[in-house]
Amino acid sequence: MSSVDSYVQGAPCWIDLVTTDVDSARTFYSGLFGWSYDDYPMPGSAGEMTYYMSTIDGRNVAGLMQQAPEMVGDAPSWQTYIAVDDAEAAAERVAEEGGTVLFPVDEIPGSGRMTIAFDTAGAKFGLWQTIGHIGSAVVNQHGAPIWHELQAPDPAAAAAFYSAVMGVEPKTADVGGIPYTELFASGKSSAGIMPKQDADQPSMWLVYLGADNPDETAARAAELGGTVLQPAFDIPGIGRMAVLADPQGVVFAVMRGES
């Protein structure tokens, strides 16, 4: 297990799933990764909405919640949250750099300050300033976040946006014939940006979860009602991965890294 006690600004720190059927999703991901769940009634929801915190060995991994009535019609998705030192200041920079902030920064008592935003190409992401909840407390193992990747129409423009907002340093290299940009937060590689492979595909952050055996995890996902969008394949020097969708159609990837 790789435990995490803190995140630097610019590093993806948390993921959560907003879905059309949270009970089905909980069953699926528990069956796939062995997640357990802690239940948290959401403030202001009069007990009608619950935020489910998935855990591995008692440590937080990800969040799951039912899509709110006002969000009906939006595609369910995994969301990547990026750590910031000051959520209000980061939200201001998002707007200054041409992005869109969906709502004013909100405080979750005892946990953190957050908002959701879109970058200049329409990819959704979250800003998270910790107060008590740092984000994913375990990473880089089976069922825990292992990588975050933005698929964008113009990777250079996307890199410039996140660099201006978060202070991350972009570095681009050729990976399998595709220009791939890594974003470095405080000198450590923390996320990637690659060109969209399909013009009709929306710009999006793709969440990668660890899998000891991506082939077996893909097969298990299908047994649980999910879909294998791309069977397991190798990228030399990087690892073995597969692209899947859960029963509600939410896309995510699984990966066993080489290092």
Side-chain angles (χ1 to χ4, degrees), residues 199-221:
D200 294 330
Q201 171 195 336
S203 185
M204 61 174 285
W205 279 93
L206 178 65
V207 170
Y208 285 71
L209 296 165
D212 293 337
N213 187 320
D215 300 76
E216 291 182 358
T217 301
R220 179 60 176 154

Side-chain angles (χ1 to χ4, degrees), residues 87 105-114 127-133:
V105 171
D106 187 24
E107 181 164 331
I108 301 173
S111 293
R113 299 179 61 75
M114 58 81 65
L127 300 174
W128 183 259
Q129 176 189 345
T130 182
I131 294 175
H133 171 60

Side-chain angles (χ1 to χ4, degrees), residues 32-57:
L32 194 62
F33 296 122
W35 287 353
S36 299
Y37 299 98
D38 293 327
D39 305 354
Y40 296 89
M42 295 182 66
S45 67
E48 297 175 0
M49 298 286 288
T50 300
Y51 193 84
Y52 297 96
M53 200 86 79
S54 70
T55 64
I56 296 175
D57 295 331

Side-chain angles (χ1 to χ4, degrees), residues 83-153:
V84 293
D85 297 331
D86 183 324
E88 278 87 359
E92 289 179 5
R93 291 194 296 272
V94 168
E96 290 169 357
E97 295 301 322
T100 303
V101 178
L102 288 187
F103 52 83
V105 171
D106 187 24
E107 181 164 331
I108 301 173
S111 293
R113 299 179 61 75
M114 58 81 65
T115 189
I116 302 294
F118 290 101
D119 66 20
T120 52
K124 183 190 291 187
F125 65 99
L127 300 174
W128 183 259
Q129 176 189 345
T130 182
I131 294 175
H133 171 60
I134 64 161
S136 299
V138 55
V139 297
N140 300 335
Q141 73 165 61
H142 186 81
I146 191 170
W147 189 241
H148 303 260
E149 182 179 87
L150 175 64
Q151 300 186 353

